[in-house]
Amino acid sequence: MKLVVPSMEYENEIQAFRREFIRSGGDMDGCMSLRRMDHTADWIRQVEECSKKETCPEKWVETTQFIYVREEDHKVVGVIQIRHYFNEFLEKYGGHIGYSVCPSERRKGYAGRMLHDVLPICRDLGIHQVLLCCLKENEGSRRTILKNGGVYESTVFEPERKVELERYWIRLDD
């Protein structure tokens, strides 16, 4: 498994990931606007814009975006995004990291490994305490966060989607 910055080299695999989510109806956390974008090049352009503070759209924050690729078949099994800092929404409801695992690849440990692999990158970016949020009923995400050292802080109500979110912190000691 490897974290890869999205590129056109993985166009078919990214679109297969997207199609599977659209068919399943699941949330695509940590994927920016991939669900809405029919063309991989448009999504990659968005990823590139958000990777620099000076080109990041207003109301968004600078991010580092990865696809999680299984090396033997090049399948994109997950997507994960690091948000370098918070806006008001992320500080309350989103956190530093958003991620999704392909529905057909869930319950295989990919989310835990993907999160584990991205935490050193967070440290390199100067993030020493990582906030992650998950739906209160998302047992898989909760276990993933806890497995990676997450410490429960609180549960908050997000009024727009009308959901309860659990907030966890992972401390990245040097």
Side-chain angles (χ1 to χ4, degrees), residues 80-145:
I80 191 163
Q81 175 187 87
I82 304 168
R83 297 136 186 169
H84 298 199
Y85 51 90
F86 295 143
N87 58 22
E88 186 177 339
F89 178 85
L90 293 174
E91 185 172 25
K92 292 178 185 175
Y93 310 117
H96 286 102
I97 295 176
Y99 58 87
S100 293
V101 173
C102 197
S104 64
E105 300 294 338
R106 291 184 181 152
R107 303 182 66 98
K108 298 179 182 179
Y110 291 128
R113 293 198 321 247
M114 184 168 58
L115 179 56
H116 174 269
D117 291 352
V118 86
L119 291 174
I121 298 167
C122 291
R123 187 180 312 108
D124 292 346
L125 290 168
I127 304 168
H128 298 286
Q129 288 193 89
V130 176
L131 174 63
L132 291 109
C133 300
C134 69
L135 291 171
K136 185 176 180 177
E137 65 272 7
N138 190 337
E139 183 64 32
S141 190
R142 178 185 306 108
R143 281 195 310 260
T144 294
I145 295 166

Side-chain angles (χ1 to χ4, degrees), residues 26-43:
D27 289 334
M28 293 179 72
D29 296 326
C31 297
M32 292 187 192
S33 301
L34 180 58
R35 179 185 289 282
R36 292 193 323 262
M37 295 186 168
D38 293 329
H39 303 286
T40 304
D42 294 336
W43 182 62

Side-chain angles (χ1 to χ4, degrees), residues 40-82:
T40 304
D42 294 336
W43 182 62
I44 290 172
R45 192 171 14 268
Q46 182 185 52
V47 167
E48 290 170 353
E49 286 175 359
C50 289
S51 71
K52 298 177 193 77
K53 198 170 191 170
E54 53 276 358
T55 57
C56 190
E58 191 176 328
K59 297 186 181 180
W60 289 53
V61 300
E62 186 179 359
T63 60
T64 300
Q65 181 77 54
F66 295 103
I67 53 178
Y68 202 51
V69 178
R70 188 168 50 212
E71 293 181 78
E72 52 269 15
D73 62 0
H74 301 287
K75 182 173 183 172
V76 175
V77 300
V79 173
I80 191 163
Q81 175 187 87
I82 304 168

